[in-house]
Amino acid sequence: MSPRSASVNEELRRRSRERLLQAAVELVGERGFEATTLGDIADRAGSARGLVSYYFPGKRQLVQSAVHRLMHGTLEEALEREPRTEDGRERMARAIDAILGLARDRPVLMRQHMAGILQAEGFVQCPEQRRLAELLRDTCVRHGSADADTDYPMLRALLMGAVYAALVPGAPMPVPVLRAELFKRYRLDWEQGVPPDTEAVPGGTCDSDLSRFFATGSAPDCADGQSDRSGQPDPSGQSK
């Protein structure tokens, strides 16, 4: 049988990685970080367990990448929802609401994410984090920043601090209070973005279906019938 083309291999690698990221978000959100194993993630993703280490150096790096992917997807969706707008203040309001919304709706996942950043490995630089950074930096630019290289890190720090404050066990701060402080700093009107008292779903907007942020599509048609299950060739065509 003829070998798969480079483009097919690349697409299979992308989809395998996306499935692992989605599975990590789902399982850590359900069980917490410690109760989730790499084997659990691989099984949920329908992938060979060896593929996890093929793409990620460890569980914490995988989970950070997965949460950054979710954050990017959530932020992008909020910024581009209808009615679409180019108004910088409205986009900043939507960005703040999107990130605070994750703290409110996915507390277990986001608490584990914040705890992971404080571990020895620190902040993971990965493709998902870079895409999130680009979107937040663009938000600063559209808001009117004259020095995005300074203002983006400050926005990131303020959002991280707000998420942390909302999730501190035993002493959480209410999300509306944190929102008000951020809106005051960026001179935003309370009615911009998605004010807490106008949310579509009472008590939050949690959506358990994360697949829209981890679109893997259907598997390419492979004439040789190879797959990425355990004991079979990996997406690059190399035998395990």
Side-chain angles (χ1 to χ4, degrees):
M1 295 183 182
S2 61
R4 293 187 302 229
S5 67
S7 62
V8 169
N9 282 330
E10 180 62 27
E11 180 65 9
L12 284 171
R13 282 192 291 268
R14 184 190 70 80
R15 292 177 179 178
S16 293
R17 192 174 187 278
E18 289 285 295
R19 287 195 298 271
L20 290 168
L21 291 170
Q22 180 177 356
V25 164
E26 291 174 356
L27 287 170
V28 173
E30 293 168 10
R31 308 176 184 177
F33 182 82
E34 297 299 333
T36 300
T37 68
L38 290 176
D40 294 334
I41 294 171
D43 289 344
R44 174 71 65 91
S47 299
R49 299 192 180 193
L51 278 182
V52 180
S53 58
Y54 177 83
Y55 294 117
F56 304 97
K59 182 171 71 169
R60 198 165 294 281
Q61 290 85 350
L62 165 57
V63 171
Q64 275 204 45
S65 294
V67 176
H68 283 140
R69 178 70 175 84
L70 175 62
M71 292 173 71
H72 174 269
T74 301
L75 179 58
E76 185 175 54
E77 187 177 80
L79 293 175
E80 299 305 319
R81 74 166 182 266
E82 297 295 340
R84 298 185 64 180
T85 180
E86 296 301 318
D87 179 77
R89 295 175 74 243
E90 172 63 21
R91 291 177 71 86
M92 178 64 77
R94 291 185 184 190
I96 291 170
D97 284 337
I99 301 304
L100 290 181
L102 285 173
R104 178 196 61 231
D105 297 337
R106 303 190 181 282
V108 174
L109 180 67
M110 296 304 292
R111 188 177 292 118
Q112 297 295 326
H113 177 62
M114 298 302 296
I117 291 175
L118 297 176
Q119 299 299 312
E121 299 93 332
F123 197 70
V124 172
Q125 299 290 334
C126 60
E128 290 74 23
Q129 186 277 327
R130 286 191 289 272
R131 285 193 287 270
L132 174 61
E134 289 169 2
L135 204 50
L136 285 173
R137 190 181 189 281
D138 179 69
T139 300
C140 288
V141 171
R142 297 191 188 212
H143 185 254
S145 171
D147 184 5
D149 290 337
T150 298
D151 292 338
Y152 154 65
M154 179 57 68
L155 174 61
R156 181 183 66 191
L158 290 169
L159 290 173
M160 289 175 66
V163 169
Y164 179 85
L167 297 175
V168 174
M173 290 193 67
V175 167
V177 173
L178 296 166
R179 182 184 194 267
E181 285 298 309
L182 288 169
F183 271 44
K184 180 180 178 180
R185 177 183 179 88
Y186 288 101
R187 297 184 174 89
L188 307 175
D189 297 330
W190 184 259
E191 294 74 21
Q192 292 179 298
V194 185
D197 59 353
T198 62
E199 290 171 0
V201 180
T205 57
C206 185
D207 181 356
S208 60
D209 181 8
L210 306 177
S211 60
R212 66 191 186 282
F213 299 141
F214 298 87
T216 56
S218 57
D221 183 15
C222 301
D224 58 3
Q226 291 173 309
S227 74
D228 65 354
R229 293 295 298 172
S230 180
Q232 297 185 23
D234 69 19
S236 65
Q238 301 296 318
S239 297
K240 292 181 172 57

